[in-house]
Amino acid sequence: MSTGNAMVTVLAFVLALVIGGVLIAAVDPDVTKAAGYFFSRPGDLLSAAWSAVASAYAALFRGAVFDYQADTFALAIRPLTETMTTATPLIIASLGVAVAFRAGLFNIGAQGQVILGAIVSGYIGFTYHLPAGVAVLLALLGGIAGGALWGGIAGVLKARTGAHEVIVTIMLNYVATNLLAWLLTTKAFIGTNGEPKSITVLPHAQLPLLFGSQFRVTWGFVIAILASVAVWWLMSRSRLGFQLRAVGSNPAASRTAGISVQRMTIYVMLISGALAGLAGAVQLLGTSKYITDGIAGTIGFDAITVALLGRSKPLGIFFAGLLYGGLSAGGRFMEVVTGTPIDIVLVLQALVVLFVAAPALVRTIFRIPAPSGELKGAAA
Amino acid sequence: MSTVVEKPAPTPAPVPAPAAQSVSVRPSLRIPIILGVLALVALAVFGFGAKSGVDSTFGLSLRADAVQLSPLVVASRPTAIVLGVLCVAIAAFAFWQAVKHRRTPAWLLAVFGVLWVFAFLVWAVAGKATSLVDLLQGSLLLAVPLAFGAFGGVLCERAGVVNIAIEGQLLVGAFAAAVVASVTGNVYAGLLAAPVAGWLLGLLLALFTVKYAVNQIIVGVVLNVLAVGLTSFLFSAVLKPNAATLNTPPLMKPIGIPLLEKIPLLGPVLFDQTVIVYAMYVAVVVLTVLLFRTRWGLRVRAVGEHPEAADTVGIDVNRTRWRNVLAGSATAGFGGAFLTIGYVGQFGQEMSGGRGYIALAAMILGRWTPIGSLGAALLFGFATKLASALSVLGTPVPSQFMLMLPYVLTIFAVAGFVGRVRAPAASGVPYLKG
């Protein structure tokens, strides 16, 4: 089963890269020119297409992992640290999404929870002058609380009234976006700034850098590793995790066994939201330092796809998060170097997840026989 | 199988039996209490809170209109107080009806809503002026993509497939309409291209959800990412460098309907619009009749409520789902055309801006019916338009809170505070024969 899954994931990635390559080649000016005289010299089209795709993907690699054309080792390794920086909040937030998945809930609201986490941790971080250590800890806890509150609303409503968590969390995303937009007009948040940009987080509340001032990686990355381990322990080793998974795989049986499905629903959304909130706090205290309306970027939405790609397992998510971080960091580099729009990365990400979610389709394309007894479309 | 999504269906088990009984014996006071609280807000905040000695001015005509009406000028404080008192009276009547175990008629609730909104407007515009026609017209136009998106959602969900990909369908529709209209120089060619683009995205949605039985919400979310990625990529790589030939579509021109457009106030708002708006009027009627008055509609709803039963009587469940997903996706794509050739013109990156998700909310608030979806879409359009109008005027409520309103309302609706909403029972569950 697991080797089959790994192969499907690899093949899904190959398929996505191939389709992405076709797109890159299709819009390349040299390729279009060569296509004009395709029937006289078909080789030109192929070589033009190959060079367009190869240079784009080479730039993607150089921007994501290792820039082999850089002058110093520090510069060459810098892309990898950028990947780690981008991946940090993604990993934490998608751990939250995954906890919900495993318990049978779909938390689309990570985006809103990330925003709330950033709001609360930011407010603590730039308002209270506290000693080193205490400040950053309190700000992180504030972020956790903010995210948990936002996730908890959806959990309580689901448990008490049966309101579908997908709808409630989508709506809460927009409420959070507008709440942030409003806060960024208040004096408490923007101080004397004339633009919608919050006060900068006080130095004591910022996450320290991990590898010195050359790289942007902060202790947030360590927090991401710790969070992965914690979620692994919670889901695989703890009593609560067992109950959560039981509810996820069969609510009716769990109820019969004496597990309160309603209470578990609330717990799950609290934990899920708390992790997303922590992601927001880490992004703010480590990387951004001040809040703007784009503080959450697309972390919350990417977290969903990362969780799917990592099959909701902490280790899988850790690597899926790094992969996504790499694609984003590499995409930015590629856009500068070869002019290929970064949006191709979104296409790649979407395609990978689609193919991973439908192993049957990948098997059909590559004509691999289905392993016996595998369920069709088991995505999460 | 579908471990990811738990059913939103009401679960009777956890509710203790005595409580359930007492609810049915005691009069349900939920609606009167909500009305009462709202009415008191109207009277206390809008009525007595309004500035005294100033007027609220509402323009009733646009400058281009044939029939010019003089603006409506009312004294802010007395008017708001009168409206507030009327709201309180309706709430009291609803309370009395509830005690007598009678339901408050729906039209009365609508009247309450209109009065309440007017009380709010009079309060918010006190000492200033705003154009009522502009407000209504803006609301209608903002509602168009939402309504088509919601119709698309209704078509899919009634057959048992959750369509989270409305956002992506609006986006590819907008993109295709802009490009085709630019290349051909003909807006109607663009209008035809939009549903085709939506249909193509629907093809993927149906392939993965119906054929491969992948979780429908996952596929929807991912297709939205794909749509954003594809359109943004093509926009940056192709449209931007060739904006003159590929991204300067002609705009649809409003076509006045003879006679009807001459009606004061409502004429210019409703009957001097583009073809897409008229298509929306037609669609709501056609869809309602099709879904609730034809054999086809009955079959579709059977597939959405109880696919096993539908299968037993010989309905091909998955074929029905394929067709409906394609039709629904095309409908949403058609609505996307409005974003470009019906309103703005040029295509812009991620220009759907979350409208697909609001359309989803409109569908739910409209209880999975075309008419309800249209009503909810209009309400959302009104809230958005009001927010922008008020932010220009600089009124007491921050515009961000106005913009939150549709979302908060939807949360209340799915949580059962504003009547109970119930999705088609099999919505979100793949049907595997066997």
Side-chain angles (χ1 to χ4, degrees), chain A residues 104 106 161 167 171 174 350 376 380, chain B residues 1 3-4 222 232 354 357 361 364 415:
Chain A
F106 210 116
T161 70
I167 307 301
M171 297 306 134
Y174 289 102
K376 252 206 291 183
Chain B
M1 224 11 263
T3 51
V4 170
V222 175
S232 301
Y357 292 109
I364 292 161

Side-chain angles (χ1 to χ4, degrees), chain B residues 80-107:
Chain B
I81 291 176
V82 168
L83 290 168
V85 168
L86 287 173
C87 284
V88 172
I90 293 180
F93 177 73
F95 195 81
W96 185 69
Q97 288 285 81
V99 172
K100 296 259 174 191
H101 290 280
R102 277 193 294 242
R103 285 175 62 95
T104 314
W107 63 265

Side-chain angles (χ1 to χ4, degrees), chain B residues 176-310:
Chain B
V179 173
V180 172
S182 304
V183 171
T184 60
N186 184 342
V187 276
Y188 296 100
L191 199 56
L192 285 179
V196 173
W199 185 88
L200 286 173
L201 207 62
L203 207 61
L204 286 178
L205 182 63
L207 179 76
F208 282 96
T209 57
V210 183
K211 181 161 168 53
Y212 290 107
V214 182
N215 182 293
Q216 297 170 359
I217 293 170
I218 292 177
V219 177
V221 169
V222 175
L223 284 182
N224 285 339
V225 178
L226 184 68
V228 170
L230 266 180
T231 53
S232 301
F233 174 74
L234 292 175
F235 174 78
S236 307
V238 185
L239 259 51
K240 240 196 236 163
N242 309 301
T245 50
L246 293 179
N247 199 13
T248 34
L251 264 179
M252 302 201 87
K253 293 203 173 52
I255 301 169
I257 295 185
L259 289 179
L260 289 177
E261 66 169 327
K262 296 280 190 282
I263 303 171
L265 189 58
L266 288 182
V269 172
L270 295 177
F271 301 112
D272 188 18
Q273 298 294 356
T274 58
V275 174
I276 305 185
V277 178
Y278 297 134
M280 180 175 81
Y281 304 156
V282 175
V284 70
V285 176
V286 169
L287 281 178
T288 305
V289 171
L290 278 180
L291 273 174
F292 299 104
R293 291 280 179 273
T294 65
R295 181 184 301 187
W296 174 83
L298 185 64
R299 289 183 173 173
V300 166
R301 286 182 290 133
V303 167
E305 294 288 348
H306 203 312
E308 291 81 8

Side-chain angles (χ1 to χ4, degrees), chain A residues 23 34 57 68 77 93 95 109 111 155 157 303 310 325:
Chain A
L23 273 174
Y57 283 158
Y68 45 82
I77 202 74
L95 286 169
Q111 187 74 8
L157 286 179

